[in-house]
């Protein structure tokens, strides 16, 4: 059976040699581990055997390498105790080193000798220490912040030389602290809108925080907040993201060459880490803007050992506008607001053990009620909640473990009532997850990661409740759906030669849709003829896949060439009724009829730094295949899901995307920023849509140009400007309308056969900082000196859509005249959402 077939080939040994521990898997019999009662399909057995074989080879590398010692530790901010992510730790004599992980941990493998250990990180003093290596050593580094001069200003903050040295492609890190200097819609700094300025990332439209990566849909982006999945990342129907920048420490976007430790989505990963909180002293920051205010507090629970951070934000559109609305107005009972709360705490038990607990809760609420008795009333609440608990443990200098338990919940509801009649539509998804990740550093040339993940999904598809007075209508709504998702992965980032580095990995995933579940048997017209009931835990549909990941870098005399290949499988789908992501969109699992989405991406590029790293440039090309995509059938409506299967209104198809991306960034100097350009083509083909003919995706943008410029002439003033241009969105519109037998008949273009006019916009911003020091006079000597102010503040003035461009949001048709006298005509009209919008925000910290 499976246990003998897989585990009889390997045996686990833990050996100790001169105080060093290593792990190796060797051939030999071993007792059954899983028991003979469990059997798996042959392809799954072969896949698992392949992973174990690869695991064996990679782990044994550590035991066969030349004898070396380790220098390991944590790098943190000396002023706040925050771990520094991506700090460069290296040996000056060889200029070889590593970067700290997301918890600030680093490991160097060195042969015996004397070395100069160095650490560098933007905004911090350079650090060096002469060390004698004759045994394993633990060296924690306290990085001392320095005044961030204009020459060190950068918004996109990839680590030095990662552009040419690393194997990663299409990976960008954002410096959160600098986002405040960029223009923002109504003064609200938005992480998701910032990444839309990067090549390969497309916006969904005017003011919208939804984003699409290299032709993929919004559901194909894995968005993580402290490793918990965020399913709906926007407020105000997509105009603002749910992420409060004041609570965020690090943002990493991966749009190509996804490593094996990530999975579940096939287009991109947006990995967001919250701040840990200052463990040295109590501090706060916040801001007051035109539509919202925010406040963040952080400080030690136990100094140098434990800390917390709490951050909240709320809009006050409803409060500000209420006094100005006429009580007799139809909108007198209407209002909208959103709020969110981030909280995190951590505790360091020992130098080897640390615990982190973090959470997020956010809600949008829209109310509408008329001023007269009997007028309809509407209430639309929706939002996310996440919770993460993580335990870090250092087994030894070469083995680091992180165990994470997560909870994620997204829900949406639409409630309406008038007189005695009430209607409710709701949907959502809830996840419980457990994940173990191990980082293993066997020697100087290999950096291993391996681990596993389990997620229990509970889906609530579109569910309808209808009542009139005391009578509830018998609408047999779909039950909650249950599914189990698992993953095992192993990867190695290793240097074959000084020029060639490879990141190779594989991820084995499984998915099972299980009961309880009621399956409707439908006739050819879609009417229910009976049901099949599945008991709790009974398998309904199951899938398994082996997902290979490979990326490489070859260093040239000037620059480097990179290539990547990755294949992924996605078991969750987003069914959308519109062209923009809305709370009404429904998350559904793979099932008997809904097969997993499959994404395959090939990419290659040339990367080069110019003028001693002052400029960073890259050119990337890619091709992506999409299989088993879903759409709602034409004419489908959310309320039609009653008395039928949740997938009865879906149709299925495939797609592809290819393109080229150019990126030029000036990293340092008083004037810096970047220019990104993307040429791409994204197509879809569904047998039941557009008569089976190929058509452009709603996310197809042939040309996309973005320019970001930051200018900091001195310590008090900074200026920012952004410009964006993109090809117009592809939409389906009526081509002709005429009267036939007393009614209007419309002839439409092919699916997405019409292009709106191009979209372009210029935004401007200026930030004025108060003086960071003040002059004090000694009462005895009358000598003056400058001391740092405890309270700091700044004013940010921004202009959105500076030249008042009327960008199209949607097009509608207006009819006028009378057909009886031949004056009837239909005119297409464009709706533009935002004209020029000035705003001001006051930010403070103490």
């Amino acid at each position: 059976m499976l246990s003998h077939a897989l585990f009889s080939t390997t045996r686990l040994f833990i050996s100790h040699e001169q105080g060093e521990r290593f792990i190796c898997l060797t051939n030999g019999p071993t007792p059954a581990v899983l028991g003979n009662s469990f059997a798996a399909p042959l392809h799954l057995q072969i896949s698992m055997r392949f992973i174990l074989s690869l695991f064996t080879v990679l782990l044994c590398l550590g035991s066969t390498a030349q004898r070396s010692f380790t220098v390991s530790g944590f790098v943190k901010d000396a002023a706040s105790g925050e771990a520094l992510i991506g700090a460069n730790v290296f040996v000056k004599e060889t200029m070889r080193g590593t970067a700290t992980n997301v918890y600030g941990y680093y490991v160097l493998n060195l042969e015996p000798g004397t070395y100069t250990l160095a650490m560098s990180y933007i905004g911090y003093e350079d650090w060096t220490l002469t060390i004698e290596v004759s045994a394993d050593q633990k060296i924690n580094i306290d990085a001392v912040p320095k005044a961030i001069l204009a020459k060190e200003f950068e918004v996109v903050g990839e680590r030095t030389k990662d552009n040419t040295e690393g194997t990663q492609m299409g990976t960008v890190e954002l410096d959160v602290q600098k986002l405040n200097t960029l223009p923002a819609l109504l003064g609200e700094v938005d992480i998701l809108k910032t990444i839309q300025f990067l090549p390969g990332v497309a916006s969904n439209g005017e003011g919208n925080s939804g984003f699409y990566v290299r032709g993929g849909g919004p559901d194909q982006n894995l968005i993580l907040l402290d490793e918990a999945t965020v399913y709906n990342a926007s407020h105000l129907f997509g105009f603002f993201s749910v992420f409060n920048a004041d609570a965020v420490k690090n943002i990493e976007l991966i749009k190509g060459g996804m490593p094996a430790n990530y999975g579940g989505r096939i287009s991109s990963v947006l990995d967001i880490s919250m701040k840990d909180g200052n463990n040295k002293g109590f501090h706060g920051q916040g801001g007051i803007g035109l539509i919202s205010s925010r406040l963040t507090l952080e400080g030690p629970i136990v100094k140098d050992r434990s800390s917390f951070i709490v951050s909240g934000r709320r809009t006050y559109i409803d409060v500000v506008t209420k006094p100005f609305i006429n009580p007799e107005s139809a909108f007198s009972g209407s209002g909208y607001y959103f709020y969110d709360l981030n909280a995190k705490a951590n505790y360091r038990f020992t130098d080897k053990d640390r615990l982190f607990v973090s959470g997020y809760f956010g809600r949008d609420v829209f109310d509408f009620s008329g001023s007269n008795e009997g007028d309809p009333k509407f209430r639309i609440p929706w939002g996310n909640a996440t919770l993460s608990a993580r335990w870090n443990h250092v087994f030894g200098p070469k083995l680091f473990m992180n165990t994470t338990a997560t909870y994620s919940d997204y829900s949406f509801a639409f409630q309406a009532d008038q007189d005695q009649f009430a209607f409710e539509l709701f949907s959502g998804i809830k996840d419980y997850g457990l994940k173990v990740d191990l980082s293993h550093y066997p020697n100087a040339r290999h950096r291993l990661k391996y681990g596993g993940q389990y997620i229990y999904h509970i889906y609530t598809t579109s569910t309808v409740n209808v009542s009139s007075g005391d009578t509830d209508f018998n609408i047999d709504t779909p039950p909650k759906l249950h599914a189990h998702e698992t993953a095992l992965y192993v990867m190695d980032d290793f240097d074959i030669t000084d020029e060639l580095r490879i990141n190779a990995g594989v991820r084995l995933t499984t998915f099972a849709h299980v009961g309880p579940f009621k399956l409707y048997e439908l006739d050819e017209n879609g009417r229910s003829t009976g049901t099949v009931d599945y008991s709790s835990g009974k398998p309904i549909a199951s899938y398994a896949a082996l997902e290979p990941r490979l990326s490489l870098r070859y260093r040239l005399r000037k620059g480097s060439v990179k290539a990547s290949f990755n294949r992924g499988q996605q078991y969750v789908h987003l069914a959308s009724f519109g062209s923009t992501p809305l709370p009404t969109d429904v998350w559904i699992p793979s099932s008997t009829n809904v097969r997993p989405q499959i994404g395959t991406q090939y990419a290659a590029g040339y990367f080069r730094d110019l003028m001693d790293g002052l400029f960073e440039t890259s050119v990337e090309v890619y091709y992506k295949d999409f299989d088993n995509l879903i759409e709602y059938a034409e004419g489908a409506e959310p309320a039609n899901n009653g008395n039928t299967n949740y997938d009865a209104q879906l149709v299925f198809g495939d797609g592809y995307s290819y393109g080229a991306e150019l990126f030029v960034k000036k990293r340092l100097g008083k004037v810096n920023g970047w220019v990104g350009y993307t040429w791409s083509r994204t197509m879809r083909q569904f047998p039941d849509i557009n008569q089976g003919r190929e058509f452009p995706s709603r996310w197809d943008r042939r040309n996309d140009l973005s320019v970001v410029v930051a200018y900091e002439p001195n310590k008090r003033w900074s200026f920012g400007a952004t410009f964006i241009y993109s090809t117009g969105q592809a939409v389906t519109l009526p081509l002709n309308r005429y009267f036939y037998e007393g009614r209007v008949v419309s002839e439409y273009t092919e699916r997405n056969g019409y292009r709106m006019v191009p979209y372009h916009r210029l935004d401007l911003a200026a930030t004025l900082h108060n003086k960071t020091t003040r002059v004090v006079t000694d009462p005895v000597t009358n000598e003056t000196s400058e001391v740092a102010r405890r309270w700091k503040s700044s004013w940010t003035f921004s202009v959105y859509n500076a030249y008042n461009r009327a960008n199209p949001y949607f097009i509608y048709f207006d009819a006028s005249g009378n057909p009886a006298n031949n004056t009837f005509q239909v005119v297409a009209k464009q709706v533009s959402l935002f004209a020029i919008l000035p705003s001001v925000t006051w930010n403070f910290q103490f």
Side-chain angles (χ1 to χ4, degrees), residues 14 42 65 114 128 220 271 299 301 394 403 409-410 413 415 468 489 576 581 597 651 689:
I14 302 178
L42 180 60
T114 301
T128 59
Q220 296 173 357
D271 196 350
I301 300 174
V394 180
T403 302
D409 181 29
Y410 168 70
Q415 302 156 356
S468 180
Y489 76 90
S576 176
Q597 300 182 65
V651 294
I689 296 177

Side-chain angles (χ1 to χ4, degrees), residues 60-76:
C60 288
L61 292 170
S63 63
T64 58
Q66 183 178 351
R67 177 62 175 159
S68 64
F69 298 100
T70 62
V71 177
S72 62
F74 292 87
V75 180
K76 61 182 179 179

Side-chain angles (χ1 to χ4, degrees), residues 155 174-182 189-191 194 245 251:
V155 174
L174 295 180
D175 186 344
V176 185
Q177 302 305 314
K178 300 297 179 278
L179 296 185
N180 287 328
T181 62
L182 295 182
V189 175
D190 196 311
I191 292 170
T194 303
I251 307 165

Side-chain angles (χ1 to χ4, degrees), residues 146 223 225-226 263 293 308 327 440 581 587 597:
K146 63 181 177 181
I223 302 177
L225 180 62
D226 275 356
S293 292
F308 76 93
H440 186 199
W587 291 93
Q597 300 182 65

Side-chain angles (χ1 to χ4, degrees), residues 329-352:
S329 167
F331 300 98
S332 62
S334 303
Y336 168 82
Y337 63 90
F338 72 75
Y339 62 89
D340 43 38
L341 176 69
N342 297 81
K344 187 174 183 178
N346 69 88
Y347 191 89
R348 179 173 57 86
F349 295 94
T350 67
D351 288 341
K352 292 187 175 182

Side-chain angles (χ1 to χ4, degrees), residues 115-135:
Y115 301 94
T116 303
L117 187 66
M119 186 282 302
S120 65
Y121 197 68
I122 292 278
Y124 290 82
E125 300 286 352
D126 290 339
W127 178 95
T128 59
L129 177 68
T130 301
I131 58 174
E132 182 72 30
V133 176
S134 58

Side-chain angles (χ1 to χ4, degrees), residues 55 435-438 449-453 487-490 507:
F55 190 73
K435 184 181 180 185
V436 178
D437 299 285
L438 295 107
K449 281 188 178 181
Y450 41 88
Q453 184 177 16
L488 294 172
Y489 76 90
V490 58
R507 186 179 180 92

Side-chain angles (χ1 to χ4, degrees), residues 334 351 435 561 657 706 798:
S334 303
D351 288 341
K435 184 181 180 185
V561 175
S657 179
S706 59
S798 64

